[in-house]
Amino acid sequence: MSTATPDPKLPQHVAIIMDGNGRWAQQRGLPRVAGHRAGTENIRGIVKACAELNIPYLTLFAFSTENWQRPSLEVEGLMFILSEFIDRETQELHRQGVHLRHLGSLIGVSDALRRKIEHALDVTRDNRRLTLAIAFNYGGRADLVQAVQAIVAQGIAPEQITEQMIADHLSTAHMPDPDLIIRTSGEMRISNFLIWETAYAEYWTTPTYWPDFTADHFEQAIQEYSQRERRFGRVSPPA
Ligand code: IPE
Ligand code: IPE
Ligand code: MG
């Protein structure tokens, strides 16, 4: 992460709902899993664009707690593709100074995949150029439930509970709240993504399906974000 004062017009944290892989594949007469593969191939270029713009935090929504309800063939395909992604990309991400984080739970994930994820997190833990958080087996409500459970388990008195304490027990602890949420494929919903953290986030959507989303689209989103006025409930933006 750069030690320079952050540019207030530049988001510090961009989070992307990578949506539309299935429709991208259907449009081409391919199985949905082919769309997930193409979508995963697309990640490299967006990470690079983010690092080049000096945006220090990028979160990608890869698999939700609700996505387990998809056909088992698709779920198995997604697990396999993620496993391949880790094998193929970890060293390169490490070389680029990317610190990998995982948001969500590894409960219910196969032992082999869990070990792979833990290894990738460990290898990249000291990198500081860009934090890349992968929301995998992630649901905003499930994350809030585990945070509340952790707080209660510590025997904290009700009057001691603060917003900061809740934030500190979420998967996103020690990351700034996302400034900008990008959703591809034209859907206009949050789908249980970062429901606490997006309280004051800006939204940007595009009808483009995720496998076709390019660095140019990403830069357009950042450019439009930089024109917006964020007020956080005030009359004018905070100084
Ligand atoms: C996003 O693409 C990837 C995941 C949810 C895993 P989709 O698979 O949701 O694609 P569409 O929305 O069906 O086109
Ligand atoms: C959100 O997309 C989850 C991911 C992108 C991983 P979905 O495609 O699962 O969301 P819904 O079902 O359209 O709301
Ligand atoms: Mg979808």
Side-chain angles (χ1 to χ4, degrees):
M1 191 164 109
S2 161
T3 48
T5 312
D7 178 348
K9 292 289 181 199
L10 202 63
Q12 292 302 292
H13 181 180
V14 177
I16 307 181
I17 304 177
M18 308 186 289
D19 199 11
N21 293 348
R23 280 164 284 169
W24 182 93
Q26 264 156 14
Q27 233 179 23
R28 288 163 176 74
L30 298 169
R32 291 178 58 84
V33 174
H36 296 315
R37 194 172 288 281
T40 309
E41 284 296 320
N42 203 34
I43 291 175
R44 198 180 305 124
I46 302 305
V47 171
K48 187 162 171 278
C50 193
E52 281 170 2
L53 287 166
N54 287 322
I55 295 168
Y57 293 89
L58 176 66
T59 295
L60 301 176
F61 201 4
F63 190 83
S64 75
T65 46
E66 290 72 30
N67 288 149
W68 292 107
Q69 298 170 74
R70 294 187 177 198
S72 58
L73 206 62
E74 181 170 349
V75 171
E76 281 161 26
L78 279 161
M79 296 299 144
F80 184 72
I81 289 166
L82 179 71
S83 167
E84 274 186 338
F85 173 82
I86 296 170
D87 287 342
R88 207 182 50 230
E89 304 290 336
T90 303
Q91 275 314 317
E92 179 55 21
L93 290 168
H94 183 42
R95 204 188 57 74
Q96 290 174 19
V98 174
H99 173 188
L100 282 170
R101 278 188 66 156
H102 168 243
L103 309 184
S105 166
L106 292 177
I107 297 168
V109 176
S110 78
D111 285 350
L113 182 53
R114 182 176 46 74
R115 276 196 295 271
K116 245 179 222 194
I117 293 170
E118 284 168 351
H119 178 70
L121 302 183
D122 196 45
V123 166
T124 63
R125 67 180 323 129
D126 296 325
N127 294 333
R128 288 293 172 267
R129 183 169 182 221
L130 168 71
T131 296
L132 173 61
I134 308 289
F136 168 74
N137 193 21
Y138 173 87
R141 288 183 175 182
D143 205 40
L144 273 162
V145 168
Q146 70 73 30
V148 171
Q149 287 172 340
I151 292 168
V152 171
Q154 290 164 45
I156 307 283
E159 62 276 11
Q160 287 179 300
I161 294 176
T162 61
E163 291 187 4
Q164 188 61 49
M165 186 183 291
I166 293 172
D168 288 345
H169 286 82
L170 295 172
S171 291
T172 48
H174 313 302
M175 289 173 74
D177 282 344
D179 300 297
L180 175 64
I181 303 294
I182 294 175
R183 184 164 188 156
T184 58
S185 90
E187 309 296 358
M188 307 271 184
R189 54 178 172 261
I190 196 72
S191 300
N192 200 15
F193 186 44
L194 302 176
I195 52 174
W196 169 279
E197 298 88 337
T198 52
Y200 272 101
E202 296 290 322
Y203 284 81
W204 190 88
T205 63
T206 172
T208 304
Y209 295 145
W210 172 252
D212 290 331
F213 183 84
T214 63
D216 285 346
H217 292 109
F218 186 75
E219 281 167 25
Q220 190 193 338
I222 304 303
Q223 162 64 23
E224 287 181 25
Y225 168 88
S226 71
Q227 308 293 320
R228 299 207 190 155
E229 187 181 85
R230 301 179 72 190
R231 290 194 286 267
F232 300 94
R234 299 172 171 89
V235 172
S236 56

